């Protein structure tokens, strides 16, 4: 809208704020995803659908056991060719008991280290 209908865009002052928020948030998410990819490569995995599927399956199984008490920085581990992957996940437990993954961090675990 900023390019196609500038007058309409400028008429609403919050539009620029929204644009800046989206730009900054997306940049942050992209940077975090690149950091996680580097961690995955460090432990011997590649950038593949199979690896993503393995991580998703792991998170789904972890989510089953998460409770309100264990939902913050819940620690789990996956084995990888060059070591392991410590998965720290933070979950939100909704009033109906549904578990919602809100944050994930990867920490490489080198073999023999």
């Amino acid at each position: 809208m900023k390019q196609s209908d500038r007058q309409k865009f400028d008429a609403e002052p919050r539009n620029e704020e929204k644009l800046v928020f989206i730009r900054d948030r997306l940049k942050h998410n992209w940077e975090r995803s690149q950091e996680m990819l580097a961690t995955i490569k460090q432990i011997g995995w590649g950038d593949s659908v199979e690896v993503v599927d393995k991580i998703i399956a792991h998170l789904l199984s972890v989510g089953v056991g998460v409770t309100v008490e264990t939902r913050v920085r819940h620690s789990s581990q996956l084995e990888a060719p060059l070591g392991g992957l410590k998965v720290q996940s933070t979950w939100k437990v909704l009033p109906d008991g549904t578990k919602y993954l809100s944050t994930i961090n990867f920490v490489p675990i080198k073999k023999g280290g």
Side-chain angles (χ1 to χ4, degrees):
M1 183 180 1
K2 186 174 182 175
Q3 292 177 349
S4 63
D5 193 350
R6 185 60 187 242
Q7 215 171 16
K8 186 176 179 181
F9 180 86
D10 290 340
E12 175 55 53
R14 296 213 49 196
N15 283 339
E16 189 66 37
E17 289 175 35
K18 290 177 190 175
L19 198 58
V20 168
F21 172 79
I22 290 169
R23 181 198 66 215
D24 293 347
R25 183 69 178 167
L26 292 177
K27 181 180 177 197
H28 170 75
N29 288 350
W30 181 83
E31 288 168 348
R32 285 200 65 233
S33 70
Q34 294 307 299
E35 290 169 8
M36 287 193 279
L37 177 59
T39 299
I40 287 171
K41 288 181 175 181
Q42 187 177 354
I43 59 168
W45 281 339
D47 183 8
S48 70
V49 172
E50 292 79 17
V51 169
V52 171
D53 286 347
K54 183 181 292 215
I55 293 169
I56 290 171
H58 175 76
L59 287 166
L60 288 171
S61 68
V62 164
V64 171
V66 169
T67 66
V68 172
E69 293 80 22
T70 64
R71 68 174 195 80
V72 177
R73 293 186 68 81
H74 186 89
S75 191
S76 58
Q77 189 171 327
L78 280 164
E79 292 302 314
L82 300 178
L85 181 66
K86 183 177 181 181
V87 180
Q88 293 178 324
S89 52
T90 297
W91 300 78
K92 201 178 257 191
V93 180
L94 302 179
D96 68 356
T98 302
K99 293 154 190 167
Y100 174 85
L101 178 64
S102 62
T103 305
I104 184 170
N105 291 297
F106 295 152
V107 179
I109 303 167
K110 293 274 191 162
K111 280 187 180 174

